[in-house]
Amino acid sequence: VPIEHADTVQAAVAQLRARHEGRLQVCGVEILPKARSLHEAPFSGPTAFMLGNERGGLTREQIEVCDSYVYIPQFGAGVGSLNVACACSV
């Protein structure tokens, strides 16, 4: 797997979009008012998922480069979020 470096989130997304001829959609995984349930999101074509850290979620800079947002539904009253490794595995 090739590893590349980008100085900013915007530059990283631009590099990804260039590889997919502008067809790439960036989907933020975050609990936001405009986020849709992961089960209801109509994913099609190349999609990159942006996940934040476990403490603060996505940064404002990350949120700004996303085309759409989803949240991972959780059932029960005990848990409001998943750690990043668990969220990535979903």
Side-chain angles (χ1 to χ4, degrees):
V1 176
I3 297 174
E4 295 185 26
H5 172 79
D7 290 329
T8 65
V9 171
Q10 293 88 347
V13 169
Q15 288 176 2
L16 285 172
R17 289 189 199 278
R19 286 186 171 203
H20 295 280
E21 301 168 354
R23 298 178 299 122
L24 179 81
Q25 293 292 305
V26 179
C27 181
V29 180
E30 183 67 87
I31 301 171
L32 296 171
K34 54 187 162 185
R36 297 173 69 179
S37 167
L38 181 68
H39 303 297
E40 298 170 358
F43 300 116
S44 63
T47 304
F49 293 95
M50 178 94 59
L51 288 92
N53 67 46
E54 295 170 8
R55 178 168 293 208
L58 294 173
T59 65
R60 190 173 334 144
E61 182 182 42
Q62 291 169 316
I63 290 170
E64 289 172 358
V65 297
C66 294
D67 300 305
S68 61
Y69 309 92
V70 295
Y71 66 89
I72 301 170
Q74 297 178 55
F75 303 97
V79 177
S81 65
L82 299 171
N83 73 36
V84 173
C86 290
C88 285
S89 69
V90 173

